[in-house]
Amino acid sequence: MAALGSPARTMRGLLRELRFVSAATGRPYRGSAAYRYLVKAFRAHRVTGEKLCRAQHELHFQAATYLCLLRSVRAHVALHQEFHGKGERSVEESAGMVGLKLPRQPGGKGWEP
Amino acid sequence: MESVRGCCATRVCGAGVASLGVFCPGFRAGRPPRLSGAMWRRCLRLQDSGRRLRDQAMGGLTARMGPGPGPTTQPLARAYAPLTGGFEINLDHRKLKTPQAKLFTVPSEALAIAVATEWDSQQDTIKFYTMHLTTLCNTSLDNPMQRNREQLIRAAVKFLDTDTICYRVEEPETLVELQKNEWDPVIEWAEKRYDVQIGSSTSIMGPSIPAKTREVLASHLASYNMWALQGPDLACVPAGIEFVATQLKSMVLTLGLIDLHLTVEQAVLLSRLEEEYQIQKWGNIEWAHDYELHELRARTAAGTLFIHLCSESTTVKHKLLQE
């Protein structure tokens, strides 16, 4: 449970992730519903850290879970783009890898118009 | 449009492509294209000024009763609260529907906002494999396999028989040590918390879970309330629990997550303990290990968030029956 960290850190991380999401929509992140909701929720359950309040802890846990979700989705998409997003190589590229070139017929192949 | 067609064909849900009729135009000839992030934005920008004038004149459309919209922002995906209670999602003023064409309604505002943010974060193509919360909500609303609560709870409790945490290796020594140090505390916590017996074993048959353990845990899971809004039998919380248990391959870890005992990162680490051990020994392969790690984290986090947001509307926790 101590692994949750401080709520301020979770909030900072969440705002950072929301900025990434808003970069996709092109709108400022302060206008998004998620930002407004988070700010309202964190203010309402202002976490002191001294008393053990179950509602505060639950909110912090949910916020940390959401942060983990946003972060890992972004990392997953980035990894996918980098390593698995290229698709198949074209025939020319594959031939070029072993030093061959595709043949060219001046009159075109028989079935092409 | 090619890219949109491609990604729609790879939907995770497995529901037929035709059921996406509202959103996926490219398949039927003659339908004008309607779905692409860039197109949405372009249309919005063109219509924006005109609509703002009209909105001010009309005092806003009646459907938009959500939390006060900002003065200059017109978001693409918005969560709003209609008169009937619960929350719906608007994509460009069209209501979001599930794959079986039911209206997408959730009881929790946070969940609706999270789903709207998921839709908002899609750029040129819609990547359904990144929208875990949407998938979970759709599955709960549609219930395509027609499973009721009892089946889901039974499936979840059945996971105990093959729980990762209860299966121990006998060699190498360091791995045995690691498993003992990391997994034993979790088992002890679960045993203490629910007053049950869950052993760990090194045999191939796995631990023998007494029937009383199963009953106690089944009754505990059954005490999580469902979406009270939809009326009869929507087993969304047990569906979420079963989802997380399937991802982590462990019921004990799922219980730890539900009870806020473990964070998502910790639970994923415990679930992948042997893999992490091998990674430390032999090295990390980014495009395989990290890829799976992030995917597992994303799914687990989505499932946990779904469980918590669905069950927080009623905080009644029944006391465990102790016979």
Side-chain angles (χ1 to χ4, degrees):
Chain A
M1 292 229 227
L4 264 187
S6 82
R9 190 180 246 197
T10 317
M11 186 59 171
R12 266 216 318 267
L14 276 168
L15 292 184
R16 182 158 188 257
E17 294 300 324
L18 281 184
R19 287 217 311 265
F20 280 112
V21 167
S22 314
T25 57
R27 258 165 276 267
Y29 72 102
R30 284 173 195 268
S32 63
Y35 174 81
R36 286 195 295 264
Y37 180 84
L38 278 171
V39 163
K40 200 172 67 162
F42 266 83
R43 278 201 193 130
H45 294 81
R46 203 183 297 264
V47 192
T48 54
E50 285 136 11
K51 308 180 225 170
L52 184 64
C53 172
R54 194 181 157 84
Q56 287 174 354
H57 184 63
E58 269 184 27
L59 171 73
H60 188 205
F61 185 85
Q62 286 173 16
T65 309
Y66 190 47
L67 174 63
C68 177
L69 172 66
L70 289 174
R71 262 193 203 144
S72 34
V73 164
R74 194 161 57 88
H76 181 234
V77 166
L79 280 174
H80 185 85
Q81 289 291 80
E82 194 182 333
F83 293 113
H84 303 281
K86 299 286 189 325
E88 264 188 16
R89 285 193 201 93
S90 69
V91 184
E92 283 89 1
E93 274 181 42
S94 320
M97 279 174 72
V98 289
L100 301 171
K101 285 201 211 146
L102 289 184
R104 255 181 306 198
Q105 283 172 280
K109 296 182 192 146
W111 60 86
E112 280 169 16
Chain B
M1 213 161 69
E2 280 304 311
S3 50
V4 173
R5 194 178 292 149
C7 76
C8 281
T10 57
R11 280 203 62 184
V12 176
C13 288
V17 168
S19 60
L20 272 186
V22 180
F23 300 122
C24 258
F27 295 86
R28 312 200 188 146
R31 217 181 270 168
R34 265 189 283 165
L35 190 77
S36 143
M39 278 193 212
W40 282 348
R41 265 169 253 144
R42 247 180 281 135
C43 293
L44 265 188
R45 250 178 263 136
L46 289 173
Q47 297 172 11
D48 226 7
S49 43
R51 195 189 322 120
R52 235 179 279 147
L53 290 175
R54 196 190 63 206
D55 272 356
Q56 284 163 9
M58 272 172 45
L61 305 169
T62 47
R64 297 232 215 124
M65 268 176 46
T72 53
T73 55
Q74 297 282 342
L76 290 168
R78 256 168 97 222
Y80 78 101
L83 285 164
T84 51
F87 293 86
E88 296 177 1
I89 312 267
N90 258 3
L91 295 177
D92 281 347
H93 309 290
R94 285 195 197 92
K95 298 196 189 202
L96 177 61
K97 295 205 169 78
T98 69
Q100 290 184 356
K102 294 188 202 156
L103 199 58
F104 185 98
T105 326
V106 291
S108 152
E109 185 184 3
L111 189 57
I113 294 182
V115 173
T117 317
E118 270 185 355
W119 277 95
D120 264 341
S121 63
Q122 307 300 317
Q123 292 178 350
D124 299 313
T125 56
I126 309 274
K127 299 187 169 94
F128 285 106
Y129 59 86
T130 55
M131 299 166 42
H132 300 290
L133 281 174
T134 315
T135 317
L136 277 169
C137 292
N138 282 342
T139 316
S140 304
L141 280 169
D142 283 343
N143 206 358
M145 313 282 278
Q146 299 297 323
R147 300 163 84 180
N148 59 5
R149 285 187 84 193
E150 284 71 31
Q151 285 173 323
L152 285 167
I153 292 176
R154 239 183 306 138
V157 172
K158 197 151 170 287
F159 236 101
L160 267 182
D161 289 332
T162 48
D163 204 307
T164 305
I165 293 203
C166 302
Y167 271 80
R168 304 295 167 89
V169 295
E170 280 164 16
E171 51 97 50
E173 274 303 315
T174 34
L175 183 54
V176 176
E177 272 292 314
L178 193 62
Q179 285 184 340
K180 201 158 61 88
N181 292 341
E182 303 287 336
W183 284 350
D184 274 346
V186 181
I187 294 195
E188 276 166 27
W189 168 84
E191 287 183 338
K192 203 166 57 126
R193 161 93 172 78
Y194 295 100
D195 201 21
V196 291
Q197 282 295 320
I198 310 168
S200 66
S201 93
T202 56
S203 81
I204 198 171
M205 296 302 294
S208 54
I209 312 278
K212 182 170 168 298
T213 308
R214 277 183 233 265
E215 283 169 19
V216 167
L217 285 174
S219 67
H220 179 81
L221 291 177
S223 73
Y224 278 97
N225 214 335
M226 314 175 280
W227 280 358
L229 228 69
Q230 301 304 111
D233 228 37
L234 252 216
C236 81
V237 173
I241 294 175
E242 208 229 342
F243 179 74
V244 178
T246 316
Q247 297 302 318
L248 290 176
K249 315 285 189 286
S250 160
M251 194 55 207
V252 178
L253 289 177
T254 316
L255 291 171
L257 275 176
I258 302 174
D259 286 326
L260 316 184
H261 177 71
L262 300 165
T263 62
V264 174
E265 286 94 348
Q266 279 175 330
V268 166
L269 175 69
L270 288 175
S271 171
R272 281 169 45 111
L273 196 66
E274 184 172 351
E275 269 190 66
E276 298 289 330
Y277 170 77
Q278 303 289 0
I279 288 175
Q280 275 183 356
K281 195 160 177 206
W282 301 107
N284 187 28
I285 298 179
E286 209 184 346
W287 50 262
H289 290 135
D290 277 353
Y291 189 74
E292 280 176 11
L293 172 71
H294 288 295
E295 187 174 13
L296 186 61
R297 269 195 193 162
R299 285 178 200 247
T300 316
T304 320
L305 199 61
F306 184 70
I307 294 171
H308 282 129
L309 290 177
C310 280
S311 58
E312 75 175 0
S313 45
T314 60
T315 47
V316 177
K317 269 238 183 113
H318 300 194
K319 282 205 157 163
L320 291 175
L321 297 170
Q322 314 228 342
E323 243 87 58

